[in-house]
Amino acid sequence: MSAASTPRRRADSPAARFAREFAESKLALVGLLGFVVIVLAAVFAPLITPQNPYDLGQLDIMDGRLPPGSAGGWGFTYWLGTDDQGRDMLSGIIYGLRTSLGVGAMSTVVALLVGSSVGLLAAYYGGRVESLVMRVVDLQLSFPAILVALILLAVLGRGVDKVVIALIIVQWAYYARTIRGSALVERQKEYIEAARCLALGDRRVLFRHLLPNCLPPLIVVATVQVAHAIALEATLSFLGVGVPVTEPSLGLLIAEGYGYLLSGDYWISVYPGVALLIAIVCINLVGDQLRDVMNPRLRR
């Protein structure tokens, strides 16, 4: 084998081909860069923010409702202004993104595991199992997600863990329906029949052969659902049934500043809303390109 053939083979690898096709969209690259910046800012929030916005010892009520660019009593500049409690809005937004990303990622991962397992079993075994699972899925999807989440939180109460549980219950049905449709197609293919003829066992056929070939649509749906979960958490917190007031949340920041819009203190509510919008748009841009790359028929 010649040395000149090695780079070509690497360039033709699935990972290289995926990266090349994903990079064809400049918007997707911008979205990916923005998402990476948001994640890094959220992870390293205690190191990069000038204050902990939820530590009462670091707040000064005399710095309340200062406009963007004002100098505060703590010796640093409030680049995005402060809220009515003297909380630095930039710090509050970064900490709020930390909560939103954590809730969105955790609920999406658990809902993905639960929904994909249930949908995969339903498609593989069929019969009454499939009918029962899909009737439950259809029943849940017939109600708006925000309504289901509101009812659940009215029963469970407020709290980050309660919001995660509510979002898991809201989301799992999307994954169950998605993987069930893909598994029904894959189940009829020859490699599944060959695995059954070799008596490999249902568990091995399900998770070693059937599941890997159903992953592409699941990845796309998961990307979209992360953005949906972040928006839903912010909505629930805005309505006062999500995370408690002692926890950072973009929804709470927007709600707290909503009453000051008419008085001209727009930054208290607008800037957290813009940050939420940017995060959701970045995730959706990445998700749209993933959908196109993983389904070549959409590119025609």
Side-chain angles (χ1 to χ4, degrees), residues 97 118 123 157 184 208 248 255 258 260 263 276 294 299:
L97 285 171
V118 172
L184 286 177
R208 292 287 298 274
Y258 185 75
Y260 295 107
S263 63
L276 178 64
M294 293 184 174
R299 301 166 64 90

Side-chain angles (χ1 to χ4, degrees), residues 179-198:
I179 198 171
R180 181 249 182 185
S182 299
L184 286 177
V185 176
E186 296 294 328
R187 190 182 64 177
Q188 307 300 325
K189 294 185 177 180
E190 294 180 354
Y191 72 93
I192 297 295
E193 295 297 330
R196 286 175 170 174
C197 292
L198 293 174

Side-chain angles (χ1 to χ4, degrees), residues 89 93 95 143 151 156 161 192 195 211 216 234 245 261 292 294:
M89 291 303 302
I93 289 171
Y95 271 80
F143 294 96
I151 294 174
L156 299 174
D161 55 339
I192 297 295
L211 178 61
V245 295
L261 288 176
D292 294 343
M294 293 184 174

Side-chain angles (χ1 to χ4, degrees), residues 11-26:
D12 292 335
S13 66
R17 185 167 58 251
F18 174 84
R20 184 174 61 253
E21 292 178 356
F22 183 88
E24 290 178 0
S25 173
K26 303 304 180 185

Side-chain angles (χ1 to χ4, degrees), residues 2 8 26 29 33 45 80 118 128 135 163 182 187 195 198 204 218 231 261 266 282:
S2 64
R8 180 178 299 177
K26 303 304 180 185
L29 291 178
L33 177 61
L80 298 184
V118 172
R128 294 182 178 179
R135 295 297 77 77
V163 174
S182 299
R187 190 182 64 177
L198 293 174
R204 186 172 180 181
L218 277 180
L261 288 176
Y266 64 89
C282 288

